[in-house]
Amino acid sequence: MFPYPSGVLHMGHVRVYAINDALARATRMMGYDVVNPMGWDAFGLPAENAAIERSIHPNEWTIKNIGIMKSQMEKILADFDWERELRTCSPDYYRWTQYLFLKLHEAGLAYQKEAVVNWDPVDETVLANEQVDSEGKSWRSGAIVEKRKLRQWFFKITEYAEDLLQDLDRLVHWPERVKQMQRNWIGKSSGAEFDFAVASTDASSGRGTEAIQIFTSRPDTIFGVQFLAVSAEHPILNRVPASHQEQVEKFKDSLKTVAGSDQTAGPEGVLTGLFAKHPFLPDVTIPVYVVNYVVSDYGTGAVMGVPGHDERDHAFATTQGMDVKYVVAAPGGQEFTKSGAMTQRGVLTGDNGEFSNMTSEEAAEAIVKKASELGVGKEKTSYRIRDWLLSRQRYWGAPIPMIHCHGCGPVPVPVEDLPVVLPMDISFTGRGGSPLKQAESWLSCSCPKCGQAAKRDTDTMDTFVDSSWYFLRYLDPHNKSLPFSHAKATAGMPVDVYIGGVEHAILHLLYSRFLSKFAWKTGLYGKGPEIEAKEGKEPGNGEPFKVLVTQGMVQGRTFKDPVTGAFLKPSEVDVTDPSKPIQISTGLPPSISWEKMSKSKFNGVDPEDMIASYGADATRLHVLYKAPPSEELEWDEQSIVGMQRFLAKVWKVVGQTPTTPTTTTGTDFKPSVEGMNKDERELWRLVNYTVKELTTSFQRTYAFNTSIAFLIKLTNHLSTVTPSSSSQQQDLDSQEKNLKKNKNHQVEVSPELYQYSVQALVKMLSPMAPAFGEECWEVLTTPANVSFAPSHSVFSQAWPSLNKDALKADKVVCGIQINGKSRFNIEFEESDLPAGNDQAAQEQFLKDLIYKHERADKWLKDENGQVKPVKKMIVVKGGKLVSFVL
């Protein structure tokens, strides 16, 4: 995922880009055509705030930060395709963001309606949620923030709700928790919609009966309705009788103040003086309340209050002093104390008319059927997801390409007039709403439809719009006639691997799926469902990301005063003994925890400091080795030296490797296993096992921590062997005699095998430690006094190939079970075991080894040393397990 150009690269960036870079480099060495681009999610509120606070234009601030972060990325050795670089604040980019808006508008998926915003009455501007402090006040002016309605632009993402939900099943390479978060956000509910008729309270008004529509996922509780709750914006409130208008208006006014994060209001409401008729019990009237917990843009803006079977309704009913009615009994005759809501489905009580004594499931079906027959209800599916509000009353964003004409209404800007470019000569005060409203020369224009004087839309788009299609632009970044060509997008999509934080699991990923599906369905890319299904294209249906890797946060060691709980600066803690830190001012041990790095907690780590102290390669390796990508990473600077020692050992191994180039630099090194001695076979097997594990890691599991562990193991083994002075096969008996004389003697292997093994090690290490790998490769392949050519780069080499025959083990470890319990192990050469078709010979061979083992005396012999009688001996898995039943 591309970053916001804040100007500071933190350890979270280092982690995600180390993962990305290693993956891209290795995949390219495996022969794939890799697109590894980078760009900048460059619009947004921080740049506008910087303009106000520092008197610097948002564009200047953004471009400066991009330059800083690019240089920082170079320091962590990130190898991006900068030819594809994009920034969302460039007119060359947001021209096409505006183009996609027009396409959505043309399809009826972009529309305007009124919506509630956070309004600062002093600065006269709209605030983002993060600009409202914990007391409900504006972060800058200190004014109490109000709720106001403004006419705003929306994308109709609800049209795609079912597609977005169903196609989650196609995303087999996504983390299940991310898919579940999206399912919950989409929030599909099956139930019923009922009509509750409300008669006019004023006969002189001439108004007849009007219905409040209610959706419920629990139609089985319809006979438990004790009140209706509507939002403060519900149109039924236009019928409030005069006797209740004052209290209703007063309550509505109280809701205009934004609650702070530390103000958790419970359910509140007042009577409206309106009463509705129960759809099945026309003689029963139900009071209507206006409440604070029902919102106008979710569902129908009204809910039926069933306090006996809904916790929130029960809480509200308690504040109103209602006697709670229960119409569903607990299942299976379970006891239920009527002190709260009984939310389980069960059996309907005798208060449910013809539906009494039915199970909840039976009753729900029968009630909906009856409501449909009576014309007071119907089966209904509802979604929790709401349409995407994309209007932002700010400057630093892509202008919405619409023109407002007094006669024609909202008119799209013609495509040939795109982009609608942001004016640069803007002053920033933070007051008076969007600066675009003050840019008269930009604001005034002619209506494309009638030619009369008109005004541009002064809203800009949510930055999520910019980031929901950028991956498509990467495939064709210099196209001047379209956002991307059909051919390039069709060939390149979907993104094979998408890497980013789990904090983007819902909005960014959901919006990206929506925009990608829209582009696919409308033919901007793709071959259509039938052809793609035949070709086996995954995931299909316009899904943009095949594999999703969500990396965990990087956490820093955090010190707190154990008495006050205040965060301690590093200078306030003595870490002479890292295992026993001491708070300097008190002499006591501080409280220690691992928390997300932040300035306020004094637990941050500057990547540039780490690179300066330990090098980029060791820093990258440490980030990759410390934890699997999906888990939280607890940054511990003390352990990074382990990676330095590992690299030093690799360098030593490289140093004793012949430097004359041989054919072994390719992938065609295929030695004869039969011609190898035991030590050579062991090395050959370990090399291929490491190749197998790292290939799997880079292609499927992304378990870079275990990959590095395998490389360490291979390096340690190479440290115990040395290339022989000639390539002739060493006499095995002679080697064994030498080893017996000197256990510290390094065994010799053929120089060709040793050279190939070290080269394979360097190739596999290089994607994770690229500068070090390149240096090692130059030493391995470039003779003295010869210049190292870029074409000889380790990253121009092929990934080591896997020889599956080499994985066959020589030694077999055989587990011995006595009466079902594991007792000891024996080892034998695989070639010594008689053939599998000679069962008797196999058993005798294994018996001889087992009874010679020192632990056989304890388990298979009695106190006199006599062999215990054996009822049954079972040989399993070709001698890997022997089970005795005594």
Side-chain angles (χ1 to χ4, degrees):
M1 297 178 187
F2 66 171
Y4 178 78
S6 63
V8 179
L9 206 65
H10 54 68
M11 291 308 298
H13 287 123
V14 174
R15 188 180 196 192
V16 69
Y17 297 133
I19 293 170
N20 171 88
D21 191 62
L23 185 59
R25 290 176 185 270
T27 306
R28 192 176 286 117
M29 293 173 74
M30 292 175 189
Y32 292 94
D33 184 11
V34 176
V35 177
N36 186 33
M38 177 48 65
W40 309 95
D41 192 7
F43 275 137
L45 191 59
E48 201 159 336
N49 291 340
I52 297 167
E53 295 168 2
R54 307 176 195 180
S55 299
I56 182 173
H57 195 281
N59 189 62
E60 182 183 347
W61 187 81
T62 301
I63 298 301
K64 178 183 176 183
N65 286 351
I66 287 174
I68 294 170
M69 291 185 72
K70 281 184 73 171
S71 67
Q72 290 174 325
M73 286 181 175
E74 290 174 1
K75 290 177 181 177
I76 64 169
L77 310 177
D79 183 26
F80 292 114
D81 182 354
W82 292 110
E83 291 296 315
R84 297 177 186 269
E85 181 184 12
L86 55 84
R87 63 178 190 271
T88 60
C89 66
S90 166
D92 291 338
Y93 182 86
Y94 68 73
R95 169 189 182 182
W96 302 115
T97 303
Q98 293 171 340
Y99 175 90
L100 291 172
F101 176 96
L102 295 179
K103 285 290 184 183
L104 286 154
H105 185 269
E106 182 183 314
L109 295 175
Y111 69 96
Q112 267 189 310
K113 71 173 182 179
E114 285 195 333
V116 176
V117 297
N118 300 323
W119 180 259
D120 182 331
V122 173
D123 285 349
E124 296 181 321
T125 189
V126 173
L127 302 176
N129 288 334
E130 59 267 27
Q131 292 177 304
V132 181
D133 69 16
S134 61
E135 297 179 349
K137 295 179 180 180
S138 168
W139 70 299
R140 180 179 288 111
S141 72
I144 297 294
V145 178
E146 300 174 355
K147 290 289 187 183
R148 280 199 184 180
K149 273 195 166 184
L150 290 181
R151 195 157 180 80
Q152 311 220 65
W153 286 98
F154 290 80
F155 283 154
K156 204 170 186 179
I157 193 173
T158 50
E159 281 286 311
Y160 281 62
E162 190 62 25
D163 280 348
L164 292 168
L165 180 63
Q166 293 300 324
D167 287 348
L168 286 171
D169 292 338
R170 292 175 169 269
L171 306 178
V172 295
H173 303 296
W174 280 39
E176 187 55 41
R177 65 170 176 160
V178 172
K179 293 193 287 185
Q180 192 56 46
M181 289 164 76
Q182 291 213 1
R183 288 190 189 99
N184 293 339
W185 189 263
I186 295 168
K188 182 177 181 179
S189 295
S190 298
E193 190 174 80
F194 294 110
D195 295 335
F196 288 79
V198 178
S200 175
T201 56
D202 184 359
S204 64
S205 68
R207 291 180 176 176
T209 301
E210 190 173 338
I212 298 177
Q213 289 186 327
I214 302 286
F215 171 80
T216 178
S217 60
R218 290 291 304 274
D220 58 312
T221 64
I222 187 70
F223 286 86
V225 177
Q226 293 184 252
F227 63 92
L228 299 184
V230 300
S231 71
E233 293 81 25
H234 198 284
I236 200 68
L237 296 182
N238 294 327
R239 306 184 69 157
V240 171
S243 58
H244 287 72
Q245 284 178 0
E246 184 178 351
Q247 74 172 21
V248 168
E249 290 304 316
K250 186 177 179 181
F251 179 75
K252 288 168 67 175
D253 286 341
S254 73
L255 300 181
K256 291 179 181 178
T257 301
V258 178
S261 59
D262 59 0
Q263 299 170 337
T264 53
E268 299 174 353
V270 296
L271 281 166
T272 63
L274 297 171
F275 292 87
K277 290 185 178 181
H278 193 287
F280 289 99
L281 303 169
D283 295 333
V284 174
T285 56
I286 301 169
V288 180
Y289 286 80
V290 57
V291 299
N292 65 345
Y293 62 86
V294 178
V295 291
S296 59
D297 57 349
Y298 178 58
T300 63
V303 300
M304 63 185 206
V306 187
H309 305 287
D310 182 272
E311 291 178 355
R312 186 183 54 184
D313 293 344
H314 188 277
F316 179 72
T318 301
T319 67
Q320 301 298 315
M322 296 183 195
D323 291 329
V324 177
K325 180 181 180 182
Y326 295 88
V327 294
V328 179
Q334 298 176 31
E335 289 292 325
F336 174 71
T337 56
K338 296 182 178 181
S339 57
M342 204 293 284
T343 58
Q344 291 177 281
R345 285 171 168 78
V347 178
L348 272 63
T349 66
D351 299 325
N352 291 271
E354 63 187 277
F355 310 105
S356 298
N357 302 318
M358 290 185 180
T359 65
S360 288
E361 292 75 17
E362 294 168 342
E365 185 176 349
I367 287 169
V368 173
K369 183 179 179 182
K370 185 73 171 180
S372 181
E373 292 171 357
L374 296 174
V376 295
K378 60 184 178 182
E379 189 175 352
K380 178 83 172 179
T381 298
S382 179
Y383 297 90
R384 178 180 177 272
I385 189 173
R386 307 177 196 179
D387 281 342
W388 177 2
L389 193 164
L390 62 111
S391 285
R392 296 294 182 269
Q393 291 72 38
R394 295 196 287 271
Y395 166 77
W396 195 234
I400 291 177
M402 297 296 291
I403 291 171
H404 296 275
C405 173
H406 182 71
C408 304
V411 180
V413 171
V415 171
E416 59 270 20
D417 291 345
L418 298 178
V420 177
V421 179
L422 282 170
M424 290 289 112
D425 54 338
I426 292 290
S427 60
F428 297 90
T429 64
R431 295 175 180 267
S434 169
L436 293 176
K437 289 184 177 181
Q438 318 304 324
E440 187 58 39
S441 61
W442 177 88
L443 186 61
S444 298
C445 62
S446 299
C447 173
K449 204 170 186 180
C450 69
Q452 297 300 308
K455 299 286 186 183
R456 295 191 186 280
D457 198 304
T458 57
D459 284 355
T460 53
M461 288 188 234
D462 177 11
T463 56
F464 275 123
V465 182
D466 309 311
S467 62
S468 63
W469 74 279
Y470 75 103
F471 43 88
L472 284 156
R473 184 66 177 174
Y474 275 148
L475 296 169
D476 198 8
H478 308 297
N479 194 324
K480 296 186 182 299
S481 58
L482 286 170
F484 44 84
S485 80
H486 182 278
K488 289 183 178 180
T490 300
M493 290 293 287
V495 176
D496 289 287
V497 183
Y498 199 45
I499 309 168
V502 74
E503 65 270 21
H504 302 295
I506 299 177
L507 294 183
H508 166 61
L509 290 173
L510 196 65
Y511 292 156
S512 297
R513 293 179 64 216
F514 166 62
L515 260 295
S516 178
K517 284 178 175 294
F518 168 75
W520 180 77
K521 283 191 173 187
T522 53
L524 293 177
Y525 82 95
K527 299 179 180 179
E530 292 184 4
I531 295 176
E532 290 184 0
K534 286 181 181 178
E535 293 179 349
K537 190 146 189 171
E538 293 182 47
N541 278 16
E543 287 292 339
F545 311 122
K546 183 177 179 180
V547 175
L548 176 66
V549 177
T550 54
Q551 91 281 358
M553 289 184 179
V554 179
Q555 297 179 327
R557 188 160 68 153
T558 309
F559 298 110
K560 295 179 188 177
D561 186 305
V563 178
T564 66
F567 292 107
L568 300 174
K569 297 178 182 178
S571 60
E572 297 175 305
V573 181
D574 180 358
V575 289
T576 305
D577 182 351
S579 63
K580 296 178 180 179
I582 297 296
Q583 185 174 340
I584 296 172
S585 61
T586 65
L588 299 173
S591 299
I592 303 174
S593 60
W594 294 93
E595 300 184 22
K596 181 181 177 182
M597 290 183 177
S598 72
K599 291 180 181 178
S600 63
K601 297 176 182 177
F602 310 112
N603 65 351
V605 174
D606 187 341
E608 292 199 41
D609 289 345
M610 294 299 100
I611 292 168
S613 299
Y614 304 104
D617 292 301
T619 301
R620 285 168 55 122
L621 284 170
H622 183 59
V623 165
L624 295 171
Y625 183 63
K626 194 67 176 160
S630 60
E631 294 182 10
E632 308 296 338
L633 188 156
E634 296 179 349
W635 181 263
D636 180 8
E637 188 176 339
Q638 302 298 321
S639 60
I640 197 172
V641 294
M643 290 298 103
Q644 288 185 308
R645 286 196 294 266
F646 165 50
L647 293 177
K649 185 172 284 190
V650 173
W651 184 250
K652 185 177 180 181
V653 168
V654 168
Q656 68 178 27
T657 307
T659 58
T660 304
T662 71
T663 57
T664 57
T665 58
T667 57
D668 56 350
F669 180 68
K670 297 177 182 178
S672 170
V673 177
E674 289 77 15
M676 291 181 177
N677 62 38
K678 174 184 173 184
D679 298 307
E680 290 172 336
R681 287 199 303 273
E682 187 175 353
L683 174 58
W684 181 233
R685 182 183 307 111
L686 183 56
V687 168
N688 280 276
Y689 189 73
T690 306
V691 171
K692 174 177 175 290
E693 292 299 327
L694 266 78
T695 303
T696 299
S697 177
F698 279 113
Q699 290 185 344
R700 289 201 302 275
T701 64
Y702 314 110
F704 301 111
N705 56 321
T706 56
S707 294
I708 295 171
F710 282 116
L711 292 174
I712 292 172
K713 182 177 180 181
L714 177 58
T715 303
N716 290 339
H717 186 81
L718 282 166
S719 299
T720 66
V721 300
T722 187
S724 61
S725 56
S726 75
S727 60
Q728 294 180 340
Q729 178 68 40
Q730 300 295 311
D731 181 77
L732 182 58
D733 293 336
S734 175
Q735 284 190 41
E736 289 178 348
K737 289 177 183 177
N738 290 334
L739 284 174
K740 288 177 181 177
K741 292 178 181 178
N742 184 3
K743 291 183 180 180
N744 295 323
H745 174 74
Q746 283 191 314
V747 298
E748 293 186 342
V749 296
S750 76
E752 292 86 0
L753 174 59
Y754 187 87
Q755 185 181 49
Y756 176 85
S757 301
V758 175
Q759 288 177 352
L761 167 66
V762 170
K763 286 180 182 180
M764 291 185 285
L765 173 62
S766 293
M768 294 177 278
F772 178 80
E774 200 74 276
E775 189 73 15
C776 289
W777 191 253
E778 182 176 354
V779 170
L780 287 172
T781 62
T782 307
N785 303 319
V786 176
S787 298
F788 181 71
S791 60
H792 298 160
S793 165
V794 67
F795 298 109
S796 298
Q797 310 305 312
W799 187 257
S801 57
L802 174 63
N803 187 317
K804 293 183 179 179
D805 290 338
L807 301 178
K808 295 177 182 177
D810 282 344
K811 277 197 172 183
V812 176
V813 177
C814 173
I816 310 303
Q817 287 186 351
I818 312 295
N819 291 335
K821 292 186 178 181
S822 295
R823 296 305 184 187
F824 58 93
N825 295 331
I826 62 168
E827 290 185 359
F828 58 87
E829 298 288 337
E830 186 178 29
S831 57
D832 292 340
L833 183 71
N837 56 2
D838 192 345
Q839 184 178 348
Q842 273 196 356
E843 289 184 1
Q844 189 57 49
F845 169 80
L846 292 169
K847 267 186 182 179
D848 291 343
L849 290 176
I850 292 167
Y851 282 100
K852 289 177 183 176
H853 196 280
E854 59 186 10
R855 300 196 67 187
D857 292 341
K858 178 177 181 181
W859 300 108
L860 293 171
K861 297 177 182 178
D862 58 23
E863 60 272 14
N864 298 318
Q866 299 298 312
V867 175
K868 295 179 182 179
V870 177
K871 293 181 181 178
K872 187 181 290 186
M873 175 182 176
I874 304 169
V875 179
V876 184
K877 297 180 180 179
K880 292 183 179 178
L881 176 67
V882 175
S883 180
F884 288 95
V885 180
L886 303 182

